[in-house]
Amino acid sequence: MRKKERNQKIIAALEEVYQGTGTALHYRSPFELLVAVILSAQCTDERVNKVTDRLFPRYDTPEKLGTLSQPELEELIHDCGLFRSKAKNILGMCRSLIDDYHSEIPQTLKELMSLPGVGRKTADVMLSVAFGKPAIAVDTHVFRVSHRLGLSDGKDPLAVEKDLQKLIPKAKWGEAHHWLIWHGRKVCRAPRPRCGECPVADLCPSRAVED
């Protein structure tokens, strides 16, 4: 079987298993999603949800969250990894939203990445999840699964993103991001993947070394 055909079969199988899945982060607005995604760096979604469940009832807008000092915000998110740098970036992001975007979350990649604490992955998540625009966010799960399944051999997230964009129809980019994430969480785990439970094990070029 040619590589292109195999990869298309893998994507089709993942779609069948994980269709309808979405982000596990709790949010009620694009602003809350942006804060949650920034907090999620090197932190589980479960932990982030515990933090935001106590943060958002009182601080759910750039204006409200922006009233906090950095030490005050650090205290509220201290059980989320890298809390000092995250607090600094979130407060800077709030100021930028208020000063430059009338407190509205921008909807272009360039504008999103101009915000403090927002890299390409976070911007792609916002575009696809918050605004329904075609984007593939490459986090650690997507990066790992794409390499193990042979969907990409890109050396960095941007290279993997471009490979996936070529493989997956544009209309399904946002959905496919979640298929790969959930496969990485449930089955293709690091460091011990559950190859015996994998719906695409017979197509996986890594199974012999990972199983």
Side-chain angles (χ1 to χ4, degrees):
M1 186 185 302
R2 291 181 300 174
K3 180 179 179 180
K4 183 177 181 181
E5 180 184 359
R6 183 201 70 200
N7 286 350
Q8 289 175 338
K9 285 181 177 294
I10 288 173
I11 292 298
L14 293 178
E15 177 179 11
E16 183 175 349
V17 174
Y18 299 107
Q19 60 182 327
T21 56
T23 181
L25 294 171
H26 297 169
Y27 71 97
R28 299 167 299 178
S29 68
F31 174 72
E32 288 188 357
L33 177 62
L34 180 54
V35 173
V37 176
I38 292 174
L39 289 173
S40 71
Q42 297 188 34
C43 188
T44 66
D45 287 353
E46 292 80 6
R47 173 60 61 185
V48 172
N49 288 336
K50 290 180 180 179
V51 172
T52 57
D53 284 350
R54 65 172 179 259
L55 182 67
F56 290 157
R58 293 183 62 189
Y59 306 104
D60 59 350
T61 67
E63 290 82 3
K64 292 177 182 177
L65 191 52
T67 63
L68 295 172
S69 67
Q70 182 160 335
E72 288 173 332
L73 182 53
E74 287 178 3
E75 178 61 27
L76 286 169
I77 66 171
H78 72 278
D79 47 340
C80 195
L82 307 175
F83 66 92
R84 290 189 176 87
S85 61
K86 288 176 182 178
K88 179 181 179 181
N89 285 330
I90 288 171
L91 291 175
M93 178 267 290
C94 288
R95 286 191 293 272
S96 181
L97 287 176
I98 294 168
D99 294 343
D100 303 327
Y101 297 104
H102 306 288
S103 297
E104 297 292 329
I105 307 297
Q107 297 188 31
T108 69
L109 185 69
K110 182 178 180 181
E111 289 175 321
L112 283 164
M113 291 181 65
S114 75
L115 299 172
V118 179
R120 188 178 183 95
K121 184 209 78 173
T122 298
D124 280 335
V125 170
M126 293 302 300
L127 290 174
S128 64
V129 178
F131 304 120
K133 296 186 177 184
I136 299 177
V138 179
D139 66 358
T140 55
H141 296 296
V142 175
F143 191 86
R144 179 179 71 255
V145 170
S146 296
H147 277 85
R148 283 182 175 167
L149 294 180
L151 304 178
S152 173
D153 58 2
K155 304 302 182 185
D156 56 60
L158 181 57
V160 172
E161 180 181 341
K162 290 181 177 179
D163 285 341
L164 293 175
Q165 287 176 342
K166 294 175 184 176
L167 173 64
I168 300 165
K170 190 172 184 178
K172 295 185 177 181
W173 284 359
E175 297 174 74
H177 156 75
H178 294 295
W179 307 336
L180 293 164
I181 285 179
W182 284 105
H183 188 62
R185 286 177 175 167
K186 291 178 174 293
V187 179
C188 197
R189 295 180 166 188
R192 298 186 65 182
R194 298 174 173 176
C195 296
E197 302 174 18
C198 181
V200 293
D202 59 332
L203 298 168
C204 180
S206 303
R207 184 179 185 186
V209 295
E210 299 288 358
D211 201 358

